[in-house]
Structures are given as structure tokens and as C-alpha cells.
Amino acid sequence: MKRIVTVQDISCVGRCSLTVALPIISAMGVETSVLPTAVLSGHTLFPHPAFCDLTGEIPAITAHWREIGVAFDGIYTGYLGSLRQLALISDFIDEFRGDGFVFIDPVMGDHGRLYSRFTDAFVSQMKHFCGKGDVIVPNLTEACLLLDVPYPGEHYTREQIRDLLRGLTSLGAKKAILTGVSFAPDELGAVAYDSENGQFFSRFGHRENGSFHGTGDIFASVCVGALAGGHPLGDAVGLAVDFTCECIRRTADSGRDKAFGVNFEAALPSLIAAASAQNHE
Ligand code: PXL
């Protein structure tokens, strides 16, 4: 069984980051270790969450891992809480990447705006950090921040998306996946680019009205589970778009409070079936 480590926060309420990565990647048959970056009472779209920064704990955790000789087949980073944390996790990647893959979700913002707590200095350091990745998975907002180009809103062409993806791989990672892409009002999906062979992949599903929090983390977690399980990039993106859209549809149908994230739990059996139907291991 493959073992990955995911580096992101615990948001105690409001499904996102570790509370979705851990169940999803585990359900896909991949041992999932965690390096928590912070504990928040809830994600930062709730007003005034309590925030406990765990940056100071990271050196002791990694020292212990060094002592016991733990190794990972993949490293998946998500929400990182501070500039110092970016530097520490960058060193962590250098030390622990081995022959494994490095998957970076440069979590910083959405809908054209930075999340609270993030600064321009964090954005510029994240550009360098992305160079450590084999795969990076920004949404459109994060891609524009990383490339210093204006956020295009809802209207853009296929060629603009391809240019963004080429630009993203020029930051250093050979593969990039852009999430939250839509070329028609009733569709939503992702486009991926592999700069090693010049191939693009895209997958779209049905778009529900409104915005659904935590779906970037759901998407990224499925990609990580699929890549660790030996699926090629295009299959990983297909599984991730289909699953994310199913979670969104279930949540929209239920009419429940979207602040608490999407209903991924009920969709897990279909993910397990889809992932094992195409299992490459
Ligand atoms: O879903 C990304 C995310 C992760 N962690 C925290 C967040 C957010 C987005 O707002 O606030 C704490």
C-alpha cells in the first residue's frame, strides 16, 4: 500500500483541508499520514475563527520522523498558515520527497480575492514554493495571482486557459491542473497540462448555482489518491471532476447550509467503485 503525507490545517468545523483529505485519500486505499499546519475552530470564510498556528511544532515532528526513518510515496500540501511555514515545508519536501511525487495546492484565494490572513508576500513566496512540485493544482484565482495577471472573472477563452497552464508549468512543476474552469453556464470542471508531452486533458460536469466551499480540497484529494494509486493524470482529473460534481449535486439537492462544505460522505462508495474500476496497481 502506498503512503502519502498531507500537509494542511485542521478546520474543526466546515468540511475542508484535513477533514476531507484524510477520509477521501484513505477511502481510495492509500495510507494517509498528516502534518497539521494549524488548528482553526472553522475555516476562514466563517467570521473570526480561533487560530492556533502549529509552525513551532513542525521541527519536532519532522525530527521524530527522521529518527524513525519514515518514508512517503507522495507529499500533498494544502493550506499553509504563514511565511515561516512555507520555508519549513519547503525544507521538509527537500528532505522527505525521495522518489515520491510532490503535489501542491497553492491555497490562497477564490473568486478573484485572497482569503483572509494571506498577503502579497505570501503570494510571492508561493511562486517559488510551486517550483518544488511535480503537480500544482490552483484554481483560476490562484493561477492569476501566481502569474501576476488580472483575474478574468467568468469570461475567458480556451486559449487563455491553455496559456495560463503553460505559464503555471514555467514556475517549475511539470504538470498543472486548473480547477473551477467553465466555458458554458451549465458546466464546471478542470483542465490539466503535462508539459513533458504537451498534452492537455479536460473534464466537465454539471454546474449547480452558487459557490461550494471546500470543493478545491475535495478535488485535490481525489487527484492525490488517484495518482498514488497509479492512475495517469487524465484519469485522475476525470475521477476528481466527477466526484466533486457529485458531492456538489448532493449538497445542492439537500438544501443544507453550504458553509459546512459539501456532502462527500454519501458519495464515497461511488468514488471507491470508480477508482477501483480503473485501478492501475
Ligand atoms: O478550502 C481551503 C481552505 C483550507 N483551510 C482553511 C481555509 C480554506 C479556505 O477558506 O480557510 C483554514
Side-chain angles (χ1 to χ4, degrees):
M1 185 180 278
K2 296 283 163 95
R3 176 192 300 126
I4 66 103
V5 57
T6 178
V7 186
Q8 47 187 325
D9 69 285
I10 299 171
S11 285
C12 300
V13 299
R15 303 175 187 97
C16 70
S17 42
L18 279 182
T19 61
V20 311
L22 197 47
I24 289 174
I25 302 170
S26 300
M28 294 179 79
V30 177
E31 181 185 337
T32 309
S33 310
V34 300
L35 180 48
T37 55
V39 179
L40 292 86
S41 52
H43 58 63
T44 58
L45 297 190
F46 288 119
H48 320 302
F51 187 96
C52 173
D53 185 354
L54 297 179
T55 306
E57 310 304 319
I58 291 173
I61 294 171
T62 53
H64 180 235
W65 289 355
R66 194 173 300 126
E67 187 186 316
I68 62 175
V70 67
F72 302 106
D73 299 299
I75 299 176
Y76 158 32
T77 70
Y79 184 100
L80 302 178
S82 67
L83 277 176
R84 190 161 97 78
Q85 207 167 77
L86 264 177
L88 278 173
I89 301 305
S90 182
D91 293 345
F92 170 76
I93 291 173
D94 289 341
E95 181 177 351
F96 285 88
R97 71 185 308 156
D99 296 328
F101 68 93
V102 176
F103 186 100
I104 295 179
D105 183 352
V107 176
M108 293 188 293
D110 206 358
H111 307 295
R113 298 178 49 191
L114 281 175
Y115 294 133
S116 61
R117 304 189 57 88
F118 289 112
T119 60
D120 291 346
F122 188 91
V123 175
S124 82
Q125 196 147 329
M126 183 56 95
K127 291 179 196 167
H128 297 289
F129 186 74
C130 281
K132 299 252 165 207
D134 296 301
V135 186
I136 57 173
V137 60
N139 60 28
L140 202 48
T141 301
E142 291 152 352
C144 293
L145 288 165
L146 290 169
L147 297 175
D148 271 323
V149 297
Y151 177 68
E154 301 272 300
H155 302 288
Y156 39 79
T157 62
R158 285 181 166 72
E159 203 39 48
Q160 269 175 292
I161 294 299
R162 288 177 170 224
D163 282 346
L164 282 175
L165 281 159
R166 288 189 197 99
L168 287 167
T169 55
S170 74
L171 296 174
K174 300 226 163 45
K175 300 178 175 69
I177 310 170
L178 195 53
T179 61
V181 179
S182 171
F183 297 114
D186 61 346
E187 71 172 27
L188 186 63
V191 185
Y193 175 58
D194 184 341
S195 64
E196 283 186 304
N197 56 21
Q199 277 191 312
F200 288 91
F201 308 89
S202 52
R203 178 79 140 230
F204 297 94
H206 180 72
R207 178 185 206 148
E208 302 287 343
N209 284 332
S211 152
F212 293 82
H213 190 61
T215 47
D217 301 337
I218 290 192
F219 180 92
S221 300
V222 177
C223 287
V224 168
L227 293 172
H231 292 267
L233 183 67
D235 288 3
V237 170
L239 284 169
V241 168
D242 292 354
F243 182 68
T244 309
C245 287
E246 188 186 341
C247 298
I248 292 173
R249 182 187 53 76
R250 286 175 182 273
T251 310
D253 289 351
S254 74
R256 291 192 59 188
D257 186 352
K258 293 194 296 184
F260 287 84
V262 291
N263 176 358
F264 72 86
E265 296 87 348
L268 281 175
S270 68
L271 173 66
I272 296 167
S276 54
Q278 320 175 354
N279 221 341
H280 286 252
E281 286 256 302

